[in-house]
């Protein structure tokens, strides 16, 4: 479905100028919200045993098997403009979130793509709760997403005082260029409502800003190391912010999900990937990220 076209037509019908609508759409991303008990045709499975290609070993970190988180049927998911998810086949997500959070190493997370027509079988192996959670089906709905600095009039968004000077300038420029910002945000929420109830995962949308910031820091550090750029210490933070802003357009969230953990207030797992790698089905290029908050 042409979601951008749908939004554009609805905004024009409200009398909002065409150029303003087009600028707003540049910041709008849709994510696929996965939740249990939502009714409709199931699009994926959380927990339980995954279906792996015949003869494929349970994915591991090289020493121990990785916990299976969930799988989705790509053909059953809603299609999103500009989000190059495979048109069919299945995606299976495995993540040891504690080790991933502690080490930052990619080997503790893995995305397995199983093309349509592949002979599969129910995986055999450990049925320990650490690797196989309670099984349930999930349905899919869409949600509108915006950058963290985006000026929105609701209590879930960051106050301007919480934004950096660079982000505050982005927000001010946005308000200047989009006089109908509140109406446009309200329309997006009407077409693709915010969260309501427990969410199992999100597919697509904006990658977590802290994840992209970490990638930006590594990118700049590497460019300095090879002599491509020189950044004064006093200018480091501002360069990181600008690079983070630039990389936001290159990277997308492949999956974000909460992970049950009795020892932490919040335990989140995610996979991020470059748009071009996703479009080329290079799912092995996805980076796994985990966060544990005491």
């Amino acid at each position: 479905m042409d979601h951008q076209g749908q939004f554009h037509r609805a905004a024009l019908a409200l009398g909002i100028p065409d150029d303003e609508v087009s600028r707003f759409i540049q910041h709008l991303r849709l994510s696929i919200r996965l939740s249990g008990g939502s009714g409709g045709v199931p699009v994926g499975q959380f927990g339980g045993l995954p279906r792996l290609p015949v003869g494929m070993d349970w994915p591991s970190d090289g020493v121990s098997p990785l916990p299976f988180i969930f799988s989705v049927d790509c053909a059953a998911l809603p299609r999103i403009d500009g989000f190059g998810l495979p048109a069919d086949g299945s995606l299976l997500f495995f993540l040891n979130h504690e080790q991933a959070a502690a080490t930052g190493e990619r080997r503790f997370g893995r995305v397995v793509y199983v093309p349509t027509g592949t002979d599969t079988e129910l995986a055999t192996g450990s049925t320990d709760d650490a690797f196989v959670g309670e099984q349930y089906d999930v349905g899919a709905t869409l949600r509108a997403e915006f950058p963290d600095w985006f000026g929105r009039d609701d209590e879930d968004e960051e106050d301007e005082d919480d934004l950096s000077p660079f982000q505050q300038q982005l927000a001010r420029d946005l308000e200047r260029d989009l006089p109908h910002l509140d109406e446009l945000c309200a329309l997006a929420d009407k077409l693709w409502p915010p969260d309501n109830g427990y969410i199992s995962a999100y597919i697509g949308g904006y990658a977590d800003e802290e994840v992209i910031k970490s990638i930006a820091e590594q990118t700049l550090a590497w460019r300095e190391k090879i002599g491509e750029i020189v950044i004064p210490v006093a200018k480091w933070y501002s360069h990181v912010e600008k690079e983070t802003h630039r990389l936001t357009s290159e990277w997308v969230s492949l999956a974000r999900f909460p992970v049950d953990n009795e020892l932490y207030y919040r335990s989140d797992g995610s996979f991020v990937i470059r748009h071009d790698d996703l479009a080329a089905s290079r799912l092995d290029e996805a980076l796994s990220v985990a966060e544990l908050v005491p």
Side-chain angles (χ1 to χ4, degrees):
M1 181 176 180
D2 180 12
H3 296 104
Q4 290 186 0
Q6 177 190 9
F7 182 87
H8 207 127
R9 290 187 294 273
L12 292 178
L14 295 175
I16 301 175
D18 180 84
D19 61 338
E20 191 175 342
V21 178
S22 297
R23 287 197 296 271
F24 180 86
I25 288 176
Q26 293 176 6
H27 302 287
L28 170 65
R29 288 188 187 179
L30 297 183
S31 63
I32 302 169
R33 178 171 42 204
L34 304 179
S35 55
S38 58
V41 179
V43 301
Q45 167 195 322
F46 266 72
L49 293 169
R51 295 197 66 86
L52 295 172
V54 173
M56 179 179 178
D57 292 333
W58 188 293
S60 74
D61 59 19
V63 178
S64 303
L66 295 172
F68 170 60
I69 307 299
F70 73 100
S71 64
V72 290
D73 176 0
C74 294
L77 294 174
R79 306 308 298 174
I80 297 177
D81 310 318
F83 183 50
L85 206 65
D88 50 30
S90 299
L91 289 178
L92 291 75
F93 296 88
F94 298 81
L95 179 69
N96 184 326
H97 61 287
E98 291 188 357
Q99 289 298 322
T103 67
E105 295 182 18
R106 293 181 60 177
R107 65 191 178 98
F108 293 108
R110 186 173 174 189
V111 181
V112 175
Y113 174 54
V114 183
T116 296
T118 302
D119 291 332
T120 63
E121 60 185 355
L122 200 62
T124 58
S126 173
T127 57
D128 188 287
D129 287 343
F131 302 101
V132 182
E134 179 182 356
Q135 180 176 334
Y136 63 94
D137 292 335
V138 290
T141 53
L142 294 179
R143 182 183 75 153
E145 290 192 11
F146 303 92
D148 288 346
W149 55 265
F150 207 80
R152 302 189 67 196
D153 187 19
D154 64 58
E155 62 183 9
D156 293 329
E157 295 300 319
E158 295 185 58
D159 293 330
E160 184 172 331
D161 291 341
D162 294 329
L163 301 177
S164 70
F166 178 74
Q167 291 175 322
Q168 289 180 23
Q169 186 60 55
L170 289 175
R172 286 193 292 269
D173 291 345
L174 182 77
E175 292 176 356
R176 180 199 64 210
D177 295 338
L178 301 179
H180 297 85
L181 178 60
D182 290 344
E183 294 95 319
L184 290 165
C185 288
L187 176 60
D189 286 343
K190 179 180 179 181
L191 293 175
W192 307 291
D195 297 337
N196 182 19
Y198 179 79
I199 307 302
S200 298
Y202 298 101
I203 301 290
Y206 280 96
D208 183 87
E209 184 181 17
E210 289 302 313
V211 173
I212 302 303
K213 182 178 178 181
S214 176
I215 296 174
E217 290 174 334
Q218 295 174 42
T219 300
L220 292 176
W222 172 251
R223 293 178 64 192
E224 271 205 308
K225 182 177 181 180
I226 63 176
E228 184 178 315
I229 58 174
V230 176
I231 302 175
V233 174
K235 298 289 186 180
W236 173 256
Y237 186 72
S238 63
H239 276 71
V240 169
E241 282 205 294
K242 292 176 181 177
E243 182 68 4
T244 299
H245 182 64
R246 185 187 71 81
L247 289 175
T248 297
S249 64
E250 294 184 8
W251 289 80
V252 64
S253 174
L254 183 57
R256 289 167 290 160
F257 44 88
V259 181
D260 292 334
N261 193 306
E262 297 179 355
L263 300 179
Y264 296 90
Y265 168 72
R266 189 178 77 244
S267 180
D268 298 325
S270 67
F271 288 85
V272 299
I273 191 169
R274 291 182 185 272
H275 279 287
D276 55 356
D277 286 329
L278 179 59
S281 296
R282 295 189 291 264
L283 279 306
D284 55 338
E285 293 297 324
L287 299 179
S288 58
V289 184
E291 181 183 19
L292 302 175
V293 180

